[in-house]
Every structure is written in C-alpha cells, then in structure tokens.
Amino acid sequence: MEASGIGSMIHYPVPPHLQPAYAELGLRDGDLPIAERIHREVFSLPIYPGLKPAQVEHVISVLRHA
C-alpha cells in the first residue's frame, strides 16, 4: 500500500484484552485467539468524506492487484 502512495495502518496493534486498561482481568496472549488474529490481520484504509472518486478507484485497484 505504501509503495502505491496509499496510507494504511494496523488500527489495533494490541488486542483489547491485552491493553493495560484491562490488566485486572488477568487475560494473557492466547486467551482470545479470534481477537488476536483480527488484530494481526485487520488494517485501516483511507476513508473520509473528502476522498475523491479517483482516489477510491486507486485504492481498489491496488487492493485487487495485491
């Protein structure tokens, strides 16, 4: 994505149950495997009201050829 000029990022680099705010739950890595898989696989693409149709098409094209 970056090589094609499209910003992207891992939106949730640490799954919620491993965040410091939830430490008192005592959950560890491996306790919620689906949440952990999602945090490794899901990323954010540019999406906002000012995105022009040509930019949307560019993102789609890059994803189709990835």
Side-chain angles (χ1 to χ4, degrees):
M1 302 297 295
E2 186 177 332
S4 297
I6 299 169
S8 64
M9 63 181 279
I10 303 288
H11 198 79
Y12 298 104
V14 178
H17 66 286
L18 299 177
Q19 297 283 343
Y22 298 104
E24 76 270 3
L25 297 177
L27 295 169
R28 292 183 270 181
D29 195 30
D31 287 344
L32 297 174
I34 294 172
E36 293 163 20
R37 187 187 79 225
I38 288 170
H39 103 86
R40 288 189 305 270
E41 297 176 357
V42 174
F43 65 100
S44 296
L45 295 171
I47 181 168
Y48 54 92
L51 204 59
K52 295 178 172 68
Q55 293 170 307
V56 173
E57 291 300 323
H58 178 63
V59 171
I60 291 168
S61 176
V62 169
L63 287 173
R64 282 188 177 151
H65 295 97

